[in-house]
């Protein structure tokens, strides 16, 4: 990652941290209820599925959990349903989220979580067997390429990354705000949306190759395997 890219990503992440800690988001997690949206500057709204995030894992979530290998890092874990489910099965899992309320709720469910950005130093870097970017979290930082490169640093050489992508063929980065449709609004930050085709291209450039693709309950996923970096190839 270049110095310019690192600086840009760090700035975007700091801005997003402030926005995701805004009251509309934390309030929604406390109650387990929406409505909550990402609002683009032109008024377009992306619904955030707070109720689903705060419930037990559904069939689509289970399709992800069943594919997890070894120790699991859930990036943008939200209220922690996946981390808690893994912990309940006796599996090692850690959630990372910039929302204090998300982390607190994850811990209350019996999971382990840190209030930290994925771009901050994290435990066991380079040793996670599986990393997750679920519920649209490929959008974190507004730069899928930088995020995928960062995940490549976090997982083991033979590691796995499972990403939930947009259901349509899209590749965009835009400025959004968290909006509760009742007058509550957070600070602006950059967010990305990518479909499977764009995600596959970003992944190849960041040191991943696609090993699987599936859809369930209207949600779409790709599994990616880490490729050896040139410096590690014999």
């Amino acid at each position: 990652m270049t110095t310019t890219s690192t600086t840009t990503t760090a700035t975007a992440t700091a801005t997003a941290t402030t926005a995701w800690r805004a009251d509309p988001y934390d309030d929604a997690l406390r109650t387990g209820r929406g409505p909550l949206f990402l609002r683009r500057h032109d008024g377009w709204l992306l619904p955030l599925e707070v109720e689903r995030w705060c419930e037990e894992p559904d069939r689509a979530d289970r399709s992800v959990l069943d594919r997890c290998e070894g120790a699991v890092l859930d990036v943008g874990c939200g209220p922690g349903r996946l981390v808690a489910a893994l912990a309940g099965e006796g599996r090692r899992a850690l959630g990372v989220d910039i929302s204090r309320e998300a982390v607190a709720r994850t811990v209350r469910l019996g999971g382990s979580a840190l209030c930290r950005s994925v771009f901050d130093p994290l435990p066991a870097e380079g040793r996670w067997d599986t990393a997750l970017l679920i519920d649209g979290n490929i959008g974190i930082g507004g730069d899928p390429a930088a995020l995928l490169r960062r995940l490549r640093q976090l997982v083991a050489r033979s590691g796995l990354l499972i990403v939930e992508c947009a259901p349509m063929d899209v590749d965009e980065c835009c400025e959004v705000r968290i909006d509760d449709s009742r007058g509550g609004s957070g600070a602006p930050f950059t967010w990305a949306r990518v479909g499977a085709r764009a995600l596959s291209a970003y992944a190849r450039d960041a040191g991943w190759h696609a090993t699987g693709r599936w859809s369930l309950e209207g949600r779409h996923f790709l599994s990616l395997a880490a490729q050896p970096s040139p410096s590690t190839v014999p």
Side-chain angles (χ1 to χ4, degrees):
M1 189 183 300
T2 66
T3 301
T4 301
S5 177
T6 302
T7 302
T8 301
T9 301
T11 301
T13 301
T15 302
T17 298
T18 301
W20 283 102
R21 287 178 178 169
D23 284 345
Y25 182 67
D26 281 355
D27 287 348
L29 292 191
R30 288 189 193 100
T31 63
R33 298 179 61 186
L36 202 66
F37 305 90
L38 294 184
R39 178 185 288 274
R40 204 164 56 192
H41 65 86
D42 61 1
W44 175 87
L45 296 174
L46 176 66
L48 301 177
E49 299 181 76
V50 176
E51 289 86 352
R52 178 174 63 78
W53 299 348
C54 293
E55 294 174 350
E56 294 289 323
D58 60 15
R59 288 179 62 238
D61 293 329
R62 282 290 167 190
S63 75
V64 171
L65 296 173
D66 289 346
R67 287 171 168 81
C68 290
E69 301 172 356
V72 181
L73 180 68
D74 186 0
V75 177
C77 66
R81 71 189 189 282
L82 302 183
V83 175
L86 290 165
E89 297 170 1
R91 303 172 68 179
R92 182 186 171 204
L94 176 68
V96 176
D97 204 289
I98 57 178
S99 164
R100 294 187 182 93
E101 182 60 32
V103 169
R105 185 156 181 152
T106 300
V107 172
R108 288 197 297 271
L109 288 176
S112 298
L114 294 176
C115 189
R116 202 171 295 181
S117 164
V118 65
F119 294 101
D120 291 335
L122 294 175
E125 294 204 10
R127 300 197 298 276
W128 293 99
D129 299 298
T130 304
L132 303 178
L133 286 171
I134 307 301
D135 300 327
N137 284 329
I138 185 62
I140 289 173
D143 187 344
L147 181 58
L148 289 167
R149 288 194 297 269
R150 175 56 176 150
L151 267 294
R152 185 63 188 82
Q153 297 172 344
L154 293 173
V155 303
R157 288 181 60 183
S158 58
L160 173 69
L161 173 61
I162 302 177
V163 185
E164 183 171 354
C165 57
M168 70 289 291
D169 189 12
V170 62
D171 182 6
E172 70 170 6
C173 175
C174 56
E175 184 177 275
V176 296
R177 294 174 182 264
I178 300 170
D179 191 300
D180 65 6
S181 78
R182 299 184 296 272
S185 183
F189 61 99
T190 52
W191 191 254
R193 291 196 309 144
V194 295
R197 183 167 65 174
L199 175 57
S200 296
Y202 284 123
R204 285 193 299 272
D205 293 342
W208 302 92
H209 69 273
T211 58
R213 177 178 175 179
W214 72 99
S215 300
L216 194 62
E217 304 285 355
R219 297 166 61 192
H220 301 261
F221 306 92
L222 263 70
S223 59
L224 306 169
Q227 300 183 74
S229 63
S231 61
T232 63
V233 175

